[in-house]
Amino acid sequence: MVKKRRNGGRSRKGRGKTTMVDCGHCRCKPPKDKAIKRYSVRNLVDSGAMNDLKAACAIEAYEPPKLYSKNYYCVSCACHSRIVRVRNKQARRVRTPPVRMRRPKRE
């Protein structure tokens, strides 16, 4: 039988079983090592109300709180909602992570 991926789509090297996590889209239970993980940092307040908050705030250097969450997705939901894309056979062999787009730091 032909093997599609070297790791079989999982990252459990030497472990027999891994815990199940909830998919953030369909609530199915993929194994933790197979699930696609994304860490999201969002503002607690939407951008329209952010300007009103900054204008009404008494403290000049006030930063509104952020919402931190780690999301797990099963493979089918991650493909469907375009979190990961399908890659061709040669691109699947590339194991380096893609270049991350970072904002320049404020000084």
Side-chain angles (χ1 to χ4, degrees), residues 32-77:
K32 188 176 180 181
D33 61 320
K34 190 173 189 172
I36 287 95
K37 300 162 241 344
R38 292 293 179 264
Y39 189 71
S40 68
V41 180
R42 298 187 318 173
N43 287 325
L44 201 62
V45 185
D46 63 332
S47 60
M50 186 78 80
N51 296 331
D52 298 337
L53 259 171
K54 287 194 179 200
C57 187
I59 305 167
E60 291 177 14
Y62 176 71
E63 283 290 322
K66 292 186 180 284
L67 186 68
Y68 300 95
S69 65
K70 186 167 186 180
N71 300 322
Y72 295 99
Y73 299 97
C74 63
V75 176
S76 58
C77 288

Side-chain angles (χ1 to χ4, degrees), residues 64-104:
K66 292 186 180 284
L67 186 68
Y68 300 95
S69 65
K70 186 167 186 180
N71 300 322
Y72 295 99
Y73 299 97
C74 63
V75 176
S76 58
C77 288
C79 291
H80 180 72
S81 55
R82 296 193 184 112
I83 294 164
V84 291
R85 303 276 173 138
V86 175
R87 296 188 291 172
N88 63 12
K89 200 171 193 176
Q90 287 82 27
R92 252 184 260 139
R93 302 290 177 252
V94 177
R95 295 176 63 84
T96 57
V99 178
R100 296 178 68 184
M101 303 297 284
R102 297 207 176 230
R103 275 187 262 148

Side-chain angles (χ1 to χ4, degrees), residues 3-17:
K3 198 169 179 189
K4 194 171 187 180
R5 286 176 191 82
R6 182 168 99 169
N7 60 3
R10 302 183 69 151
S11 65
R12 62 171 178 87
K13 305 296 182 203
R15 284 184 292 277
K17 288 187 178 180

